[in-house]
Amino acid sequence: NSTPYVLSVFYDGPVSKKLTLAAGTSQVVDLIPGSFHVAGRVSAANVLPFYGEETYDGSASYSETFYIRQ
């Protein structure tokens, strides 16, 4: 979480997961392979939420960074 806010990230696909990350922190999450809807929002009313779709393979490791574009 490269934002100055608390970040909530939601994964919805073959399994559903929710992460809550403090500002400047990171977390490892294990997901089964498949396609996921990914959404993120921060604890600031003036920042629009994020939404996208990702497909994860079973034998790979991924890294995602959330930041606020100015």
Side-chain angles (χ1 to χ4, degrees):
N1 177 11
S2 292
T3 78
Y5 307 105
V6 172
L7 170 67
S8 296
V9 182
F10 306 88
Y11 294 91
D12 187 32
V15 296
S16 295
K17 297 238 181 181
K18 177 187 175 190
L19 306 177
T20 302
L21 299 125
T25 65
S26 63
Q27 184 173 343
V28 174
V29 61
D30 289 323
L31 297 171
I32 64 173
S35 295
F36 289 82
H37 299 276
V38 182
R41 69 174 182 224
V42 299
S43 58
N46 63 328
V47 177
L48 294 174
F50 163 84
Y51 172 80
E53 295 183 14
E54 298 285 345
T55 300
Y56 302 113
D57 292 327
S59 60
S61 178
Y62 300 90
S63 176
E64 294 181 295
T65 301
F66 293 86
Y67 63 93
I68 297 173
R69 187 172 24 180
Q70 307 249 344

